[in-house]
Amino acid sequence: MSNTSSNSTQPGLLQVFLYALLIALFGLLGYLGFSHVSSASDATDSTQVYVEPDSNFTHLWTAPSDWRMMYLKPEEKELVEYGKELIAHTSDYLGPKGSVKAISNGMNCQNCHLNAGTQPWGNNYFAVQSTYPKFRARSGAIEDQVKRVNDCFERSLNGQALPAESKEMRAILAYIKWLGTDVKKGKSPKGSGIFKLKGLKRAIDPAKGAEVYAAKCQSCHQADGGGVLAENGKSYTYPPLWGPHSYNHGAGLYRMSNFAGYVKYNMPLGANYEKPQLTDEEAWDLAAYVNSMPRPSKDLSKDWPDVAGKPFDHPFGPYADPFTEEQHKYGPYKPIKEWIAKHKKSKK
């Protein structure tokens, strides 16, 4: 009996010992882990300062998901999809060797309106349907979506207007309307169009811009600014930034502020509003360089019937203000903007 009792108590004592040992080990690990986290947290709190995200780049509007097209009528869906194709591959259909018409310079709408007009701060179309028709000082008239599209064909694509009744115009308008789904009338959602970059205190510098171009743009757009033609010979893999096949001097990107805001948050390749690669100064100087290079011209005599409505960086006179064409093109812009603001107030 005594042997049986002794054998039965030994495993029990062993289990208690092992259990106690495990508790001690877990306690030691917990202490070490807590002390490590605590010390790391203390170091973080003492050396780092929280930086609130820039609200200009958070919660931006996005395009409606493609799956929602299932709710469109079949003929409407077909137009929307064709419109997207025309924006992305304009030249295949409407370029010098286009399958439908030959009315543009070989660039695609997507070259200026990134990701088929859906990229936040990438010159997208989100606010077009909600804000047009509207009065535009450049024409001195109320413009509709057809006029807006044809401005791009005649200026950015240095081509001819697309007939309003054509299938291609109807498709582009259907696509623009689709991208404006859910945008309230009269509203421009955050991230629409091009970001308004803060100006420099100095004049922007084409010579400095040439250095930026050589370092960060030339590998794609080439030393002569002529871009790289695609293998099909119909469009460009990398579009021309100047020269006979680029946008003319009536295009929106010929304005320095538009070009600078566009490249700041979209260029060079791989950059976007979350991962910009250019400084503000580089973006402005790059605009000065590219928009100082030769390009097609356009008759602008009917633009800005009220010269007082010209923007601060419109490079062609006459002006209502006393500043030169040189300063309107290269700046510094602050004195011009202050003069315009002051005289607008005095008229009220």
Side-chain angles (χ1 to χ4, degrees), residues 111 114 119 211-221 238-239 241 259-279 282-283 286:
N111 293 143
L114 294 178
Q119 177 67 26
E211 296 175 2
V212 178
Y213 184 84
K216 300 186 177 183
C217 313
Q218 183 172 301
S219 59
C220 291
H221 298 283
Y238 302 107
L241 296 185
F259 192 101
Y262 180 77
V263 297
K264 166 70 180 184
Y265 292 109
N266 296 289
M267 295 293 157
L269 190 65
N272 59 32
Y273 66 93
E274 295 176 308
K275 298 177 293 183
Q277 297 183 31
L278 299 175
T279 66
E282 286 175 330
L286 183 59

Side-chain angles (χ1 to χ4, degrees), residues 307-308 310-312 314 316-329 331-344:
V307 296
K310 289 183 178 181
F312 66 90
H314 185 71
F316 305 111
Y319 305 108
D321 60 66
F323 301 95
T324 65
E325 286 189 346
E326 178 83 3
Q327 187 164 347
H328 274 279
K329 185 167 185 176
Y333 300 121
K334 186 177 179 181
I336 303 174
K337 295 170 78 172
E338 288 177 342
W339 190 98
I340 293 172
K342 178 182 177 180
H343 286 78
K344 278 185 178 179

Side-chain angles (χ1 to χ4, degrees), residues 184-202:
K184 292 182 179 180
K185 189 65 178 175
K187 299 294 183 181
S188 294
K190 187 161 65 169
S192 297
I194 297 174
F195 186 80
K196 302 299 182 185
L197 200 62
K198 185 177 180 180
L200 305 183
K201 293 181 180 179
R202 61 169 174 83

